[in-house]
Amino acid sequence: MEDLINKWYKNHSLFYKVLLFLSTTFLIVYLFPKSGKFKYNFDKGKPWQSENLYAPFDFAIKKSFEEIDEEEQDIKDASPIYFDIKTKTKFEVLEMYALNFENKFSDTIPKKRVLYDVGKSAVETLYGYGVLDEDYKYPENKNIILVEDQKLISRTTFDQLTKIDEFRTILEDALIYNDLSSYKTTFVSLFFDIVKSNVSINSSLTDNALQEELNSISTVRGSIEKETLIISKGEIVEGNKYDILKSLETEYESQVWNASNYNLVLFAYALLVALALLMLLLFLRKYRIEVFLDNTKVTFIFFNILLMILLTTLIIKYNSSQVYVIPLCILPLVLKAFFDARLGLFAHVLTVLLLGFIVPNSYEYMFLQIIAGIVTILTVSELYKRANLFISVGQITLIYIIAYFAFFVIHEGNITNLKLETFGLFILCGLATLFVQPLIYIYEKLFGLVSDVSLLELSDTNTKLLKELSNKAPGTFHHSLNVANLAEASANEIGANAMLVRVGALYHDIGKMKSPTYFTENQATGINPHDELSSKESSKIIIDHVIDGIEIAKKNNLPDRVIDFIRTHHGTSMVYYFYMKEKALNENTSEDDFRYPGPKPYSKETAILMMCDSVEAASKSLKEPSSSKIDKFVESIIAKQMDDGQFLNANITFKEIQSIKKVLKTKLANIFHLRIEYPE
């Protein structure tokens, strides 16, 4: 049991990566659509590139969405509207009319009988098919069915129904026709009190009848029998051929796969996703070992890939036509900000390949996104400069638009049906890409990483910690500025991270604030406190500035990448002066008492700082410097560090060290205002 626990403890980092790998694979497969992919690619209006295709099984030809929409519209146009009618309303109105007529008109008026008949006839006309309760907006020829107590009364058209305000026109026309216009005012006012509607729409019956007819629409038209030739090689995919191919593709992705091979398809997806993620891990292990060994960084990379896939699948489920609104270029931007361009592009390409399984027009999508990712990596050189980000986002958006336009012309052969809305999606995608700045800040807090944006902030000499250093240890502060300039120039020469090494140089000696006068650069009075201490005590104070620096850095929440420079800027080198002084008194003096605890530099940047720090500090002891003296001086210091094995863990080459030496010699010559010595 104890052996098992020890084994787990020794390999816990590897076990974590395996667990992360499996869980990420599971989540990505879970997000993927649970169907197979049709193995043939085809475009409308283009030749069929594959071999002759025969029907693998019997299947129905599905109608296109346009055909179904057209049928639905025809049914909606022809479907009748159901109205409820109250037939007894007409008789109630006639009774009220007879009663009110007798009260309004006396027996002495001439043509009383004719006038009564005119009113009665007007009521009959008004209620011929019925009086509407409101003004409905239906075409005049719309079919109408009148029902009462769920029984059909009559069929007619909408123009036969009377609007309630039409009774005045009907009465006035009848009175004029019978030469009774003098009674118009009294007669019309009589009807205002008695006329009422008796027809109202039955929405429930109308909707149910319409839905029943819509449900009867067939989604297929004809069928294809097994072994029937569907399309020959080179034949143009259009018309009925295109509909048949789309039907076969749908049948493959729904019925065939889902019914019989669901688990097999799921397993195949898992294999492909696992293969892609495995390639990423192998890339990290071979080319980015420092990232591979850091589980937080590996988790960060996997998290970002998963996030992009999640956002894309959500958009596809909502509306696949808006898939280009996802700012996928944020992925290489973020990874480049925290790591490097090569890793950012590699992860971006793998993510795009995975998304090719689920997006429509997968080849077009992958081409656009990979090209956009390459442009992102090539154009965004310094993310901490806001202008650079805006310019790069504009270039990315332009590339999207140009590539999409080219694909559209290839597919359609013209630009008449070009949808400007898609260009709007690309612009929205570009604007969303600008969110990378606050996203980087969030990631720094969540994962404890540091980006160039944060490094730029830390490089400001007005920060609280650097101001404290300049006040307590002005000589050390000046030394740190000189080292920062040397290290930045050296990093630029060999293509290392210049911003990172500059920040590391500014903070590498902050531990000297604890006992500033014990370091020669801060001894302004000429009094050396080491004169009163033993060599071991002096050595301990000198060595402890590394440990003190780490404590101060952590207390002030400096990023780990910066603290690494404090840890490694002396490596495991020796405090040689005090060692030799002690050895003169005691031959059995141990070197371990006079060596820094390390570790040795393990990156190009930390190795650069060690070289620049040693050269700058020792250069103060040069008397009557000349070009030849500076050359020998730089060569001897760096050679001593190499002989001591200080750069064995750093991925720096001899060629790069030679380049750094050249920069240091030139810079020191400038510092001492020396002229170049030309050969005679």
Side-chain angles (χ1 to χ4, degrees):
M1 184 66 181
E2 187 177 347
D3 291 340
L4 186 63
I5 294 172
N6 289 334
K7 189 175 181 181
W8 163 260
Y9 180 77
K10 288 179 181 178
N11 298 287
H12 73 280
S13 180
L14 181 60
F15 289 143
Y16 175 83
K17 289 182 181 66
V18 172
L19 183 62
L20 178 67
F21 171 78
L22 293 175
S23 58
T24 306
T25 302
F26 171 79
L27 288 172
I28 292 175
V29 173
Y30 176 78
L31 292 172
F32 277 7
K34 305 304 184 291
S35 63
K37 292 287 287 185
F38 192 48
K39 65 179 180 178
Y40 299 104
N41 291 316
F42 59 93
D43 293 305
K44 191 174 184 179
K46 299 297 176 184
W48 177 257
Q49 300 292 343
S50 305
E51 70 278 2
N52 293 355
L53 179 62
Y54 295 87
F57 45 75
D58 297 341
F59 66 95
I61 306 173
K62 295 184 180 295
K63 294 178 182 176
S64 65
F65 291 116
E66 292 78 12
E67 288 178 299
I68 294 175
D69 288 342
E70 188 177 342
E71 286 188 37
E72 287 181 351
Q73 192 57 50
D74 290 341
I75 288 175
K76 289 176 183 177
D77 293 339
S79 179
I81 308 297
Y82 286 80
F83 281 91
D84 289 322
I85 186 171
K86 296 178 182 178
T87 53
K88 64 180 182 179
T89 302
K90 171 184 173 182
F91 302 106
E92 291 172 356
V93 171
L94 286 172
E95 288 179 10
M96 290 293 295
Y97 167 66
L99 181 61
N100 289 356
F101 184 84
E102 291 299 328
N103 293 335
K104 285 277 187 182
F105 299 99
S106 64
D107 294 338
T108 58
I109 67 168
K111 296 186 178 181
K112 179 181 179 181
R113 188 66 191 173
V114 176
L115 187 61
Y116 177 81
D117 290 341
V118 167
K120 185 178 179 181
S121 176
V123 172
E124 293 285 353
T125 303
L126 193 65
Y127 287 93
Y129 284 97
V131 179
L132 293 166
D133 60 341
E134 58 180 271
D135 187 11
Y136 297 97
K137 303 298 181 184
Y138 290 113
E140 290 187 354
N141 62 344
K142 186 69 175 176
N143 292 324
I144 302 298
I145 296 178
L146 299 173
V147 295
E148 186 172 22
D149 297 331
Q150 303 297 317
K151 294 181 181 178
L152 190 146
I153 301 300
S154 63
R155 296 176 182 270
T156 184
T157 54
F158 184 69
D159 60 340
Q160 296 298 314
L161 299 177
T162 309
K163 297 176 182 177
I164 196 167
D165 58 353
E166 290 181 357
F167 81 91
R168 185 186 185 101
T169 305
I170 294 172
L171 283 175
E172 289 177 351
D173 290 345
L175 291 172
I176 292 170
Y177 182 78
N178 290 282
D179 196 21
L180 296 169
S181 299
S182 57
Y183 299 103
K184 182 174 72 172
T185 303
T186 306
F187 203 59
V188 170
S189 65
L190 182 151
F191 277 89
F192 264 114
D193 298 327
I194 63 173
V195 171
K196 55 185 177 181
S197 64
N198 69 332
V199 174
S200 60
I201 193 168
N202 188 325
S203 299
S204 176
L205 201 57
T206 301
D207 293 343
N208 290 340
L210 175 60
Q211 194 60 48
E212 189 175 338
E213 291 189 57
L214 291 176
N215 291 340
S216 66
I217 296 177
S218 174
T219 58
V220 300
R221 51 174 177 80
S223 61
I224 300 293
E225 293 183 359
K226 185 177 180 180
E227 301 300 333
T228 301
L229 177 64
I230 296 176
I231 192 167
S232 303
K233 185 173 183 178
E235 195 174 347
I236 302 298
V237 180
E238 59 184 355
N240 193 48
K241 297 285 185 184
Y242 178 77
D243 293 338
I244 294 173
L245 287 171
K246 291 299 291 183
S247 300
L248 180 59
E249 181 181 40
T250 304
E251 197 73 21
Y252 255 98
E253 294 182 354
S254 58
Q255 178 186 340
V256 175
W257 294 111
N258 285 340
S260 59
N261 295 334
Y262 177 83
N263 292 329
L264 192 60
V265 171
L266 213 60
F267 176 71
Y269 268 138
L271 283 179
L272 292 174
V273 172
L275 191 62
L277 296 179
L278 182 61
M279 294 303 104
L280 179 58
L281 286 174
L282 291 176
F283 173 86
L284 294 176
R285 190 174 183 276
K286 185 172 179 62
Y287 298 107
R288 300 293 181 273
I289 188 64
E290 72 281 0
V291 177
F292 179 80
L293 294 175
D294 191 327
N295 284 340
T296 301
K297 293 178 180 179
V298 176
T299 304
F300 174 75
I301 296 169
F302 276 53
F303 172 79
N304 277 277
I305 292 174
L306 185 61
L307 179 63
M308 289 297 128
I309 293 174
L310 173 62
L311 291 175
T312 306
T313 51
L314 289 176
I315 287 294
I316 288 174
K317 288 178 182 177
Y318 171 71
N319 186 349
S320 61
S321 63
Q322 297 181 357
V323 69
Y324 288 111
V325 82
I326 297 295
L328 205 64
C329 287
I330 281 183
L331 179 62
L333 277 174
V334 167
L335 296 182
K336 184 180 180 182
F338 288 110
F339 306 110
D340 60 82
R342 189 176 176 187
L343 174 56
L345 183 60
F346 191 86
H348 176 73
V349 170
L350 285 180
T351 305
V352 172
L353 291 176
L354 290 175
L355 289 174
F357 291 121
I358 60 175
V359 296
N361 302 318
S362 56
Y363 175 77
E364 174 186 322
Y365 176 86
M366 289 191 292
F367 184 90
L368 260 66
Q369 296 294 2
I370 290 175
I371 289 295
I374 293 172
V375 171
T376 302
I377 292 298
L378 294 177
T379 58
V380 184
S381 55
E382 296 172 320
L383 192 60
Y384 55 86
K385 294 183 179 179
R386 289 172 294 179
N388 284 4
L389 180 61
F390 279 97
I391 293 169
S392 297
V393 166
Q395 292 172 333
I396 294 165
T397 305
L398 183 63
I399 290 296
Y400 271 130
I401 291 173
I402 292 172
Y404 175 78
F405 175 80
F407 269 110
F408 187 89
V409 172
I410 291 171
H411 290 162
E412 301 294 329
N414 59 69
I415 59 172
T416 54
N417 297 322
L418 191 64
K419 295 181 180 179
L420 297 178
E421 295 86 355
T422 307
F423 294 152
L425 293 179
F426 292 134
I427 294 172
L428 286 176
C429 176
L431 293 175
T433 305
L434 295 174
F435 183 69
V436 70
Q437 285 281 18
L439 188 64
I440 286 173
Y441 177 79
I442 293 169
Y443 280 153
E444 285 179 336
K445 301 305 177 186
L446 287 177
F447 291 91
L449 301 172
V450 59
S451 68
D452 286 350
V453 180
S454 293
L455 291 176
L456 180 65
E457 294 173 357
L458 291 170
S459 67
D460 184 4
T461 54
N462 289 313
T463 58
K464 180 183 175 182
L465 194 55
L466 290 180
K467 283 183 82 85
E468 186 181 355
L469 177 64
S470 67
N471 291 329
K472 290 184 177 180
T476 299
F477 177 72
H478 182 69
H479 160 72
S480 297
L481 286 176
N482 289 337
V483 173
N485 292 331
L486 292 174
E488 185 177 18
S490 301
N492 284 325
E493 183 68 22
I494 66 169
N497 190 332
M499 179 63 72
L500 177 62
V501 77
R502 178 176 182 80
V503 173
L506 288 173
Y507 290 90
H508 79 283
D509 269 345
I510 56 173
K512 292 181 179 180
M513 286 192 293
K514 194 167 182 180
S515 306
T517 57
Y518 285 89
F519 300 90
T520 55
E521 68 265 25
N522 299 311
Q523 294 170 1
T525 60
I527 299 173
N528 191 345
H530 288 289
D531 294 340
E532 300 177 3
L533 300 175
S534 68
S535 297
K536 284 190 177 181
E537 289 173 329
S538 296
S539 177
K540 186 178 187 308
I541 293 172
I542 299 296
I543 290 171
D544 281 351
H545 89 272
V546 172
I547 298 168
D548 294 337
I550 294 170
E551 290 176 357
I552 294 170
K554 288 185 175 180
K555 187 177 179 180
N556 287 271
N557 297 316
L558 289 185
D560 286 339
R561 288 178 77 185
V562 177
I563 296 175
D564 287 342
F565 287 89
I566 302 173
R567 287 192 183 98
T568 62
H569 75 278
H570 285 295
T572 58
S573 61
M574 185 186 299
V575 185
Y576 194 73
Y577 174 81
F578 291 110
Y579 170 70
M580 294 304 294
K581 187 177 178 182
E582 180 68 19
K583 193 171 183 180
L585 300 174
N586 182 8
E587 283 291 333
N588 297 322
T589 300
S590 172
E591 291 186 4
D592 294 339
D593 295 332
F594 294 88
R595 282 195 179 274
Y596 285 94
K600 295 176 181 179
Y602 46 82
S603 67
K604 287 182 182 180
E605 289 77 15
T606 51
I608 289 170
L609 178 62
M610 174 178 272
M611 289 184 251
C612 295
D613 180 43
S614 300
V615 168
E616 202 285 331
S619 67
K620 300 293 189 295
S621 63
L622 278 173
K623 295 177 181 179
E624 298 181 2
S626 64
S627 295
S628 57
K629 276 187 179 181
I630 288 174
D631 288 355
K632 291 177 182 177
F633 167 76
V634 171
E635 290 286 349
S636 65
I637 287 180
I638 295 179
K640 187 176 180 181
Q641 290 174 336
M642 293 176 67
D643 292 341
D644 202 19
Q646 296 299 323
F647 305 135
L648 291 178
N649 296 335
N651 58 336
I652 192 166
T653 63
F654 285 113
K655 184 179 180 181
E656 289 170 336
I657 292 175
Q658 288 299 118
S659 299
I660 293 169
K661 288 180 185 177
K662 185 178 178 182
V663 171
L664 292 176
K665 292 172 186 177
T666 304
K667 287 290 181 182
L668 286 178
N670 292 335
I671 291 171
F672 289 111
H673 306 291
L674 299 177
R675 293 182 178 274
I676 299 173
E677 293 182 1
Y678 295 99
E680 295 181 2

